[in-house]
Amino acid sequence: MEDYNKVIESLGVRYIKAKNLVLHQPFTVRNSYDVGNNLILLHKGHLTFGEESMVVEEGEMLFIPGGRPTRVSYGVDQKNRVITNDDLITNKDKFFHSNDNLDLIGEDEESHSFVSFEAKVFDSVNFFASLDVPAFLISGQPKLANLVIKVVEESIQDLPGRERLINIYTENIVVEVVRYVLRNNMFVEQLATNSTYFKDPRLIDLFNYIKENLGGDLSNKVLSGVANVSEDYVGQYFKMLTNINPQDYIEYQRMERAVFLLRTTKKSIRDIGKEVGYKDTAYFCRRFKMMFGIPAGKMRRRESAMNI
């Protein structure tokens, strides 16, 4: 338990967004994907997920780890309308509208609330993504459900202390999700592995170095000097502890940073690609679309498309 406490204490949590959405028409998104983790609370209606169409009952929550494409169905769709994540981002107002009335949260027949957030170990590694686990159901957790509603309510109102309360509630959400996983003995092997390797100071040095030098040379030769291991061994060492190749991890970090810049700055795609380590803009755009399923330009418009 002490190891888990250390992991939780090391988590840097960042709120991304929260909304109460009402469904216009039923559909399935075959590869629902986001960089942030998403916790979806079903108020009323129908929600299923995964290839086996697991049912989320009213009052239950669906947790989708960041970076994990997941099949999600909203409502009962007699026409079997299946769209891509790209289609959803581009045409979200055709499928949902956002409710900003506090009194109506949870009242519509087909509605859900969600909170999107980051949770990074040592502000470097996506904790839930590092577990490499699928989306999962959370049931019998009224406290957690209430936290989701509180974040949504605060996001709707423009009151003093709004940001502070949202951050506090979001941190509580992360702790409650981790507690739920531990209490139900979920992903035991992955958690045990993580609690071990997150204590390795050489790995922490690598995480920090990669984060601070995304635009520079992050070859295995450079990484070997940071970790003080041989160039031939550094890849094996990193993968042994994290279950991921260091260059794959670096690309994910670069792309995640690119998403942040696309959402929060007006820098050109060319400049963003260079800032995160891609000299060839065309190659950056190809890799971006391969990873996220949509072009970088559409990701830039994601925020306005989501703020319906």
Side-chain angles (χ1 to χ4, degrees), residues 53-306:
S53 297
M54 295 182 63
V55 176
V56 181
E57 301 289 351
E58 293 178 359
E60 294 183 330
M61 287 157 283
L62 170 60
F63 184 80
I64 305 178
R68 185 86 186 200
T70 305
R71 187 181 183 91
V72 182
S73 298
Y74 299 90
V76 179
D77 187 5
Q78 303 296 337
K79 297 181 180 179
N80 194 30
R81 184 185 293 104
V82 181
I83 66 173
T84 66
N85 199 55
D86 190 0
D87 297 329
L88 178 60
I89 292 171
T90 305
N91 304 295
K92 190 148 190 171
D93 56 345
K94 293 182 180 180
F95 298 102
F96 295 112
H97 76 263
S98 179
N99 166 50
D100 293 331
N101 188 327
L102 293 176
D103 295 330
L104 295 181
I105 292 177
E107 294 301 314
D108 290 280
E109 287 305 312
E110 287 281 353
S111 65
H112 68 270
S113 292
F114 78 91
V115 178
S116 180
F117 58 88
E118 287 182 350
K120 292 187 174 182
V121 181
F122 304 115
D123 202 28
S124 300
V125 183
N126 286 296
F127 175 68
F128 293 104
S130 72
L131 294 177
D132 193 27
V133 297
F136 59 89
L137 183 67
I138 297 178
S139 59
Q141 299 298 308
K143 180 179 178 180
L144 182 54
N146 189 47
L147 285 169
V148 173
I149 294 173
K150 284 184 175 181
V151 173
V152 171
E153 289 176 342
E154 287 295 330
S155 71
I156 291 173
Q157 303 174 90
D158 187 16
L159 298 175
R162 170 179 177 268
E163 300 298 330
R164 184 166 187 176
L165 281 179
I166 285 177
N167 290 333
I168 291 172
Y169 293 147
T170 305
E171 288 193 354
N172 287 350
I173 284 173
V174 173
V175 172
E176 290 299 327
V177 171
V178 174
R179 284 179 174 178
Y180 182 84
V181 167
L182 293 174
R183 191 161 52 241
N184 290 277
N185 294 315
M186 302 167 68
F187 322 126
V188 174
E189 184 176 342
Q190 294 96 321
L191 280 167
T193 300
N194 274 12
S195 66
T196 298
Y197 79 66
F198 284 145
K199 294 185 294 184
D200 189 317
R202 292 179 298 176
L203 191 61
I204 295 170
D205 287 343
L206 283 173
F207 289 152
N208 290 333
Y209 186 85
I210 291 169
K211 178 186 175 184
E212 294 169 4
N213 296 275
L214 286 176
D217 182 3
L218 292 174
S219 62
N220 280 5
K221 180 178 181 180
V222 172
L223 297 182
S224 67
V226 175
N228 197 27
V229 297
S230 71
E231 181 179 351
D232 293 336
Y233 178 65
V234 69
Q236 179 183 342
Y237 164 77
F238 192 95
K239 188 169 184 178
M240 177 180 65
L241 295 180
T242 66
N243 201 33
I244 185 173
N245 181 289
Q247 295 307 317
D248 290 340
Y249 171 79
I250 289 165
E251 180 169 52
Y252 183 84
Q253 294 300 311
R254 282 174 163 161
M255 290 300 182
E256 187 178 64
R257 177 64 181 170
V259 169
F260 174 79
L261 293 172
L262 286 165
R263 287 175 167 175
T264 60
T265 74
K266 294 183 179 180
K267 294 180 179 180
S268 68
I269 291 174
R270 180 171 178 267
D271 287 344
I272 289 174
K274 286 185 175 181
E275 187 169 330
V276 298
Y278 293 88
K279 296 179 180 179
D280 186 331
T281 304
Y283 178 71
F284 165 68
C285 290
R286 286 198 303 272
R287 295 301 300 171
F288 190 98
K289 185 173 183 181
M290 185 176 294
M291 180 168 289
F292 297 116
I294 61 174
K298 284 191 176 182
M299 179 65 80
R300 162 154 277 162
R301 296 192 294 272
R302 183 187 179 96
E303 285 299 297
S304 58
M306 291 289 280

